[in-house]
Amino acid sequence: MPHSNGGQTSTRWHILGAGSMGTLWAARLARAGLPVTLILRNPMRLHAYEAARGLTLVEGEHSQRLNVTAQLPETDEPIQRLLVTCKAYDAEQAVAHIAHRLSPDADVILLQNGLGSQQAVAARVPHARCIFASSTEGAFRDGDWRVVFAGRGHTWLGDIHVGEAPHWLEELQRSGIAHEWSASILSRLWRKLALNCAINPLTVLHNCRNGGLQAHSDEVNTLCTELCALLEQCDQPEAAVDLTAEVNRVIHATASNYSSMNQDVTQGRRTEISYLLGYACEAARQQSFAVPHLQALHQRLTDHLKQHGLPCN
Ligand code: NAP
């Protein structure tokens, strides 16, 4: 539904996945005066949200409450612009529930880590324009409907069918969401996936901070060599350029951090393994390309997750 904003009409942003990233986007768009609606899972979540009377965005010492409307997936309001910020393993099911509400020329922005979930969503909504996004921003929830903007970063958006940049990027600009239109979003997502595969599983298996991998540099470098070969094999040579050096630089620069996968396992949360290491191994299998070290790592990680009672998909 169009929304009047200082004489101009803006298309409403519907946000599916009102977790850390979804509420971080919702709060900043709403703060810029743009129309935003959260799509919440069920009536219980909707009641809890209504009782909290809005979202709270925490940035450093400052916190601000923002009035953002919310609704259920079953609502029949059409959706013209959808931001999906569910975890990779939830995205396809969540979009399937609201697919009938998407306008024929809707834009669907997919902000998931890894690869595989975006393609699965795109196949579910062939009439929509799917835009893939990759972000280095960081956010977490320190309470229900409270989001902490923990790490300034950048978001790249792109269309794998290489279309033009959408006009609404200007709204991201207005909302202070640092972003760039990328002509090679797939390459960017592969690069991030490769970095993740070289670092995150080992931080789980060695139960260490990123810096702890400095004591396992042979293992890290072997994985990087195999990942570079796989990227070349998958027609992503750009994503392989200087990967080993970047992995080692990231390990050094984020030495005191726990990786997201390490935090997920420590806190007993499901990981996105199938869309990261699992996706890399599956891509290799489909090309009959041998990746013995990645496969062994996948097996060790799967066993580890099972031992901790966590899903390994
Ligand atoms: P999150 O906090 O777990 O949020 C995901 C949200 O999706 C949850 O609020 C969940 O609802 C909701 N959801 C799941 N299924 C749903 C459904 N069927 N209908 C409605 N809502 C549904 O996850 P996140 O940290 O924002 O991460 C989202 C994606 O961004 C991930 O792929 C992650 O890797 C990536 N990412 C995250 C960060 C970060 O700093 N957080 C940074 C870069 C990239 P409930 O709360 O009801 O379970």
Side-chain angles (χ1 to χ4, degrees), residues 50-68:
E50 284 166 352
R53 287 187 310 212
L55 287 178
T56 301
L57 172 62
V58 183
E59 282 181 286
E61 305 280 282
H62 302 280
S63 66
Q64 185 177 7
R65 169 107 57 95
L66 292 139
N67 282 318
V68 173

Side-chain angles (χ1 to χ4, degrees), residues 42-242:
N42 55 37
M44 209 171 76
R45 294 300 286 153
L46 185 58
H47 290 148
Y49 179 70
E50 284 166 352
R53 287 187 310 212
L55 287 178
T56 301
L57 172 62
V58 183
E59 282 181 286
E61 305 280 282
H62 302 280
S63 66
Q64 185 177 7
R65 169 107 57 95
L66 292 139
N67 282 318
V68 173
T69 56
Q71 62 182 210
L72 292 173
E74 296 75 26
T75 311
D76 56 11
E77 182 183 56
I79 299 174
Q80 178 64 38
R81 188 179 303 150
L82 179 70
L83 171 67
V84 183
T85 42
C86 300
K87 286 278 173 62
Y89 47 75
D90 281 328
E92 186 184 359
Q93 266 315 101
V95 171
H97 272 122
I98 52 90
H100 62 284
R101 292 178 52 192
L102 290 171
S103 305
D105 56 347
D107 285 331
V108 177
I109 302 118
L110 298 165
L111 204 163
Q112 277 68 47
N113 233 344
L115 276 164
S117 70
Q118 301 90 337
Q119 293 92 327
V121 170
R124 285 266 184 176
V125 291
H127 52 288
R129 180 186 192 193
C130 287
I131 287 170
F132 295 8
S134 176
S135 182
T136 57
E137 290 191 324
F140 65 89
R141 288 179 278 179
D142 74 343
D144 226 8
W145 316 112
R146 278 176 60 90
V147 61
V148 180
F149 190 5
R152 302 246 156 222
H154 207 84
T155 302
W156 286 266
L157 302 110
D159 180 342
I160 56 164
H161 303 298
V162 194
E164 291 206 344
H167 63 87
W168 46 257
L169 292 186
E170 175 275 322
E171 297 190 358
L172 303 189
Q173 191 70 31
R174 230 193 295 164
S175 308
I177 299 174
H179 69 281
E180 196 175 308
W181 184 249
S182 167
S184 52
I185 190 68
L186 213 47
S187 171
R188 231 167 231 294
L189 284 161
W190 264 111
R191 175 71 165 203
K192 195 169 178 211
L193 181 148
L195 282 159
N196 187 301
C197 289
I199 298 174
N200 294 23
L202 288 178
T203 65
V204 172
L205 294 170
H206 293 299
N207 192 20
C208 64
R209 294 173 200 258
N210 290 355
L213 297 186
Q214 283 161 346
H216 302 278
S217 55
D218 287 352
E219 209 175 359
V220 170
N221 292 341
T222 303
L223 288 174
C224 288
T225 305
E226 207 168 273
L227 282 162
C228 284
L230 176 63
L231 289 168
E232 306 262 355
Q233 179 70 23
C234 294
D235 270 339
Q236 298 295 332
E238 249 182 76
V241 175
D242 294 335

